[in-house]
Amino acid sequence: AEYGLRAIVRIAQTKKKPLSLAKISQLEGISLGYLEKLIAKLKRAKLVKSQKGASGGYFLARPVDKIKVNEIISIAVREPNFS
């Protein structure tokens, strides 16, 4: 849950500019492998979107004031659904 919150806060700080997973990993000290899984959950929940390309990365899918802390926590701690 803490890493989910830290990732969302870091992405929110960049405004609309996409932030790469490698940069989030470096800035937050979160392993890239774990961050990939976490961001995938946040993307499925429509909290973040991705942009491909050289200047690609992740950005918030909704305005920051429309994202609730408890929403991030519940998504981050939820087990993956493989069905």
Side-chain angles (χ1 to χ4, degrees), residues 5-17 19 24 47-48 58-60 62-65 67 72:
L5 290 168
R6 287 171 46 192
I8 289 287
V9 168
R10 184 61 70 172
I11 292 168
Q13 289 174 336
T14 65
K15 307 294 181 206
K16 296 272 183 188
K17 182 180 171 191
L19 189 61
I24 298 168
L47 291 181
V48 298
Y58 291 86
F59 56 95
L60 296 181
R62 303 192 305 233
V64 71
D65 62 339
I67 298 174
I72 299 165

Side-chain angles (χ1 to χ4, degrees), residues 7 10-11 18-40 42 48 50 56-58:
R10 184 61 70 172
I11 292 168
L19 189 61
S20 73
L21 287 181
K23 191 67 174 174
I24 298 168
S25 174
Q26 174 192 17
L27 293 170
E28 292 299 324
I30 304 170
S31 81
L32 187 55
Y34 185 80
L35 189 58
E36 288 171 342
K37 294 173 189 170
L38 179 59
I39 292 293
L42 297 172
V48 298
S50 62
Y58 291 86

